[in-house]
Amino acid sequence: MHAKKFYLRSFGCQMNDYDTSRMADLLRERFGAEPVSTPEEADVVVLNTCSIREKAQEKVFSDLGRLREAKKSHPGQIIAVGGCVASQEGEGIVKRSPWVDVVFGPQTLHRLPDLMEARVRTGRPQVDVSFPELEKFDCLPKRQPEGAAAFLSIMEGCSKYCSYCVVPYTRGEEISRPMVDVLVEAVQLVDAGVKEITLLGQNVNAYRGQTPEGDTADFALLLEYLSEIEGLERIRYTTSHPREFTPRLIEAYARLPKLVNHVHLPVQAGSDRILAAMKRGYTALEYKSIIRRLRAVRPDISIATDFIVGFPGETEAEFEETLRLQEEVGFDASYSFIYSPRPGTPAARLPDPVSYSEKLERLQRLQSANDQCARAISESMLESVQRVLVVGPARRGEGLLSARTDNNRIVNFPGPLELVDRMVNVRITDVYPHTLGGVLVE
Ligand code: SAH
Ligand code: SF4
Ligand code: F3S
């Protein structure tokens, strides 16, 4: 089979980006393949798709239309579709776009090379969107981290079934990797030069991993063990769920300095009626109580969140409760989107009288409130000393390096290239709209 050049495209969340990088590892290992920069040159084209909102899903089908043209000038090219749209549509993708050769899901991505070979052997498109639990982790090649920051997947799927969301259907129920597997992978990454690990999962704090003794380790315990790894300097994670934010996890922030001073904790809305209709399983007060207790142990911790604006039936007054929550918590960053009805989810059947233009206006008000808050937080960092991970030379500015703070700010400062991939202390001297400026301190 001829599969020397691949072109991968990733949509959606960090989980998908991670999966995409694992597909590249697979294609390298099996076929000695290398990436190319356009689909026209590639022997294998893979779209790793997302269906969280309608726009993301539509993108896939318009991309597939273009790929059909490219394939005409490249006979034998394999077009593969993975990710959440693949998981949901399965066979439907081949029916709708018969030039697609392979369809695979988030849990069968390790079978991609086999599916490609089966396609060539049988002459028929191959579809495998089954959910073989955790099998993929045993079948993936060893990681080759690039740089000092790496992702590490600890759990998969979601069992929360929020009324608007496709993830439980596309990724399956929550399932955690055994604790030792996670620790071994973390040690391998650190041995390869990694200093910062971001733990990945749809709800990382729903982690319930088996221990060698046959017990179950929770997320707080996993963090404790990871913290013991020498050479690992920073631990991040995404995404966590308020319902699983236990007192033990809050306590971990008091004890484990390697945990970054930043949490991404999606709240979605500020109105209790909307939160209940979303089936989130907490009230605004309960959410604020988590934040208050976190700040009791980490006073300057930065909180990022996700919002959905314009959930079916959301009134102006209910939206204002979301705005108020933004003010009260002082979110440092937020990912906010207009509600997008997803076929097959309960919320898609709810009456939705609010117009799109009104929802758009609400979104803009919320985003501008969040921008103001983020700006104020940046200002408050002025003159502070931040421990940062140097990621590389700055994109602009001779002799400048670029680094990342705990709360995901980019800091540019003068320094030698030897500092790349190291942790250093920087004093913040300037605040710009999208970056900070600083100087090295001893
Ligand atoms: N498991 C995480 C979120 C994963 S999905 C959590 O619940 O905290 C990422 C974000 O996409 C969600 O937080 C939500 O804000 C957004 N999202 C999910 N479904 C959506 C929909 N139907 N319309 C608009 N935004 C949606
Ligand atoms: Fe979707 Fe809710 Fe699960 Fe998050 S917790 S992935 S929003 S169902
Ligand atoms: Fe999208 Fe699937 Fe992630 S729907 S956001 S790629 S879990």
Side-chain angles (χ1 to χ4, degrees):
M1 190 168 102
H2 192 72
K4 288 287 174 224
K5 297 178 188 163
F6 63 82
Y7 177 84
L8 304 181
R9 219 173 145 196
S10 192
F11 304 86
C13 56
Q14 281 166 318
M15 192 74 93
N16 250 22
D17 290 344
Y18 172 84
D19 285 349
T20 304
S21 75
R22 303 304 279 149
M23 291 171 201
D25 292 342
L26 280 164
L27 295 171
R28 281 200 179 92
E29 186 196 54
R30 177 74 69 90
F31 306 112
E34 283 305 324
V36 290
S37 51
T38 65
E40 284 76 16
E41 303 162 68
D43 307 313
V44 194
V45 178
V46 186
L47 301 184
N48 198 15
T49 63
C50 171
S51 54
I52 199 84
R53 284 168 290 270
E54 192 179 359
K55 267 218 183 82
Q57 176 139 5
E58 279 170 355
K59 185 98 197 47
V60 176
F61 289 101
S62 62
D63 271 20
L64 280 177
R66 270 193 298 277
L67 286 177
R68 177 189 203 174
E69 293 309 307
K71 189 173 180 169
K72 282 181 186 153
S73 59
H74 198 139
Q77 183 184 60
I78 290 193
I79 297 179
V81 181
C84 288
V85 177
S87 177
Q88 249 183 324
E89 311 263 324
E91 290 281 348
I93 294 189
V94 180
K95 290 217 177 75
R96 187 161 158 182
S97 312
W99 56 95
V100 169
D101 300 284
V102 173
V103 177
F104 60 105
Q107 302 306 334
T108 48
L109 70 91
H110 56 289
R111 297 180 185 164
L112 172 62
D114 289 343
L115 290 166
M116 287 164 54
E117 282 173 348
R119 163 71 179 104
V120 172
R121 199 174 54 242
T122 62
R124 277 194 308 274
Q126 301 292 310
V127 178
D128 182 354
V129 291
S130 57
F131 291 87
E133 292 194 346
L134 294 180
E135 176 190 284
K136 75 172 171 195
F137 290 103
D138 296 326
C139 304
L140 287 167
K142 212 177 148 193
R143 307 274 305 275
Q144 309 287 346
E146 290 163 29
F151 290 116
L152 171 49
S153 169
I154 64 165
M155 58 84 67
E156 293 262 332
C158 181
S159 309
K160 303 288 187 280
Y161 293 91
C162 300
S163 61
Y164 51 82
C165 183
V166 292
V167 173
Y169 311 100
T170 63
R171 297 256 167 183
E173 296 272 319
E174 283 163 6
I175 174 142
S176 301
R177 295 177 68 191
M179 187 166 74
V180 171
D181 291 15
V182 174
L183 295 174
V184 166
E185 193 170 329
V187 169
Q188 283 170 353
L189 290 171
V190 172
D191 283 348
V194 168
K195 298 202 173 62
E196 172 184 303
I197 289 182
T198 303
L199 306 173
L200 284 184
Q202 284 307 336
N203 295 302
V204 281
N205 52 342
Y207 180 80
R208 309 271 188 279
Q210 240 189 35
T211 67
E213 295 78 36
D215 298 333
T216 306
D218 67 356
F219 187 54
L221 187 64
L222 178 69
L223 290 174
E224 201 148 332
Y225 275 85
L226 284 167
S227 277
E228 296 290 318
I229 298 175
E230 215 174 305
L232 178 60
E233 299 202 35
R234 255 189 347 191
I235 303 172
R236 297 181 181 276
Y237 57 80
T238 191
T239 308
S240 55
H241 195 291
R243 242 162 77 189
E244 309 268 6
F245 221 96
T246 60
R248 275 172 54 76
L249 178 52
I250 291 171
E251 211 177 277
Y253 278 87
R255 276 181 296 119
L256 309 176
K258 289 181 182 181
L259 270 180
V260 293
N261 234 359
H262 174 79
V263 181
H264 184 142
L265 189 60
V267 67
Q268 312 301 357
S271 140
D272 289 344
R273 189 189 75 85
I274 296 293
L275 287 170
M278 287 177 162
K279 259 188 80 208
R280 291 292 291 180
Y282 54 83
T283 61
L285 191 63
E286 282 164 340
Y287 183 89
K288 284 187 284 188
S289 150
I290 295 170
I291 304 300
R292 186 172 40 74
R293 284 177 288 138
L294 253 178
R295 285 185 169 149
V297 294
R298 288 274 188 104
D300 49 357
I301 195 162
S302 125
I303 314 287
T305 201
D306 294 352
F307 291 116
I308 295 177
V309 168
F311 186 80
E314 181 193 70
T315 63
E316 168 65 23
E318 285 163 342
F319 167 69
E320 282 167 13
E321 291 185 74
T322 302
L323 269 184
R324 201 163 331 124
L325 191 71
Q326 161 65 46
E327 294 303 320
E328 282 174 9
V329 175
F331 290 112
D332 189 3
S334 73
Y335 300 87
S336 42
F337 295 96
I338 292 179
Y339 166 77
S340 172
R342 307 311 295 127
T345 60
R349 294 191 298 267
L350 295 173
D352 191 2
V354 178
S355 72
Y356 187 80
S357 64
E358 184 149 356
K359 292 183 180 190
L360 194 59
E361 199 228 35
R362 287 181 191 171
L363 180 73
Q364 285 159 351
R365 282 158 69 197
L366 181 59
Q367 284 178 340
S368 95
N370 182 246
D371 287 349
Q372 271 178 29
C373 184
R375 176 82 193 187
I377 291 171
S378 292
E379 302 277 357
S380 75
M381 292 168 75
L382 204 59
E383 291 306 321
S384 70
V385 173
Q386 303 280 329
R387 191 150 177 79
V388 294
L389 179 67
V390 184
V391 287
R395 260 194 269 162
R396 267 185 293 260
E398 192 89 16
L400 288 186
L401 297 175
S402 220
R404 201 169 273 278
T405 65
D406 267 16
N407 61 341
N408 289 317
R409 298 290 194 283
I410 301 281
V411 190
N412 296 322
F413 61 98
L417 280 173
E418 295 90 81
L419 294 183
V420 171
D421 289 341
R422 303 235 311 250
M423 301 275 311
V424 297
N425 291 327
V426 166
R427 188 160 49 78
I428 306 302
T429 54
D430 297 283
V431 176
Y432 306 110
H434 301 289
T435 59
L436 303 171
V439 289
L440 265 174
V441 295
E442 285 311 308

